[in-house]
Amino acid sequence: MTDYRLIYFSENRLPLGQLAAELDAILDKSRQNNVLVGVTGALMFSAGYFVQVLEGEQGAVEATFERIQQDSRHGDVQLVDFSPVAERTFSNWSMAYAGRREDASDELDAIGTKSGFDPSLLDGHQLFDKLKSRLLEAA
Ligand SMILES: Cc1cc2nc3c(=O)[nH]c(=O)nc-3n(C[C@H](O)[C@H](O)[C@H](O)COP(=O)(O)O)c2cc1C
């Protein structure tokens, strides 16, 4: 079965005070669900945006993304890429968190004043590289 990789970004809709706890809940739930359907990937939060990579069989990735899009904890979900891949990059993680935990509780970073990160200015390759390099930094 060919694996697919999906990349999207979205805007945070959570109040800053709830962000860190909700991020933990999202990661816990993601890991429980994704392992059951063979989906792997990575999630990052920066400057009020989520960026996520989902990898797996086409149907499993689509069903997961459908659910994620309905989630009111974020909005304005923008699909950047959904393509077949020769191999997975995040095969060891049912959902890795690509970044420092502090990012989510750092008010300046959460509202974007510090990093100035704007995913809408990056293409799929650049977003993917950003997630990969943040994951390596955090490890
Ligand atoms: C930014 C973000 C990323 C998420 N990533 C995943 C994910 O990778 N897998 C998943 O199952 N749910 C993910 N969720 C949660 C889903 O939106 C949804 O709440 C969850 O899948 C519902 O699971 P349940 O039906 O088992 O309660 C994510 C939510 C957000 C806001």
Side-chain angles (χ1 to χ4, degrees), residues 8 26 29-30 33-34 52 64 67-68 71 73 95:
Y8 78 84
I26 288 168
K29 175 59 82 177
S30 301
N33 286 344
N34 295 355
Q52 191 171 28
T64 302
R67 240 179 17 252
I68 293 171
D71 198 315
R73 289 173 289 190
M95 190 46 61

Side-chain angles (χ1 to χ4, degrees), residues 14-109:
L14 289 162
L16 291 183
Q18 290 174 26
L19 192 56
E22 283 293 336
L23 200 48
D24 282 339
I26 288 168
L27 287 169
D28 281 350
K29 175 59 82 177
S30 301
R31 288 164 183 158
Q32 282 167 26
N33 286 344
N34 295 355
V35 75
L36 296 176
V37 293
V39 166
T40 55
L43 175 70
M44 66 173 266
F45 175 84
S46 185
Y49 294 98
F50 294 102
V51 183
Q52 191 171 28
V53 172
L54 299 167
E55 302 173 326
E57 286 183 11
Q58 186 173 10
V61 171
E62 279 170 357
T64 302
F65 184 55
E66 279 300 315
R67 240 179 17 252
I68 293 171
Q69 280 183 281
Q70 309 297 320
D71 198 315
S72 60
R73 289 173 289 190
H74 63 172
D76 203 6
V77 177
Q78 309 265 339
L79 179 64
V80 178
D81 191 31
F82 187 32
S83 317
V85 285
E87 58 181 313
R88 299 185 190 208
T89 299
F90 303 107
S91 51
N92 292 332
W93 290 277
S94 54
M95 190 46 61
Y97 183 63
R100 293 160 298 130
R101 314 293 295 180
E102 308 90 81
D103 288 354
S105 45
D106 181 335
E107 198 167 325
L108 286 179
D109 195 37

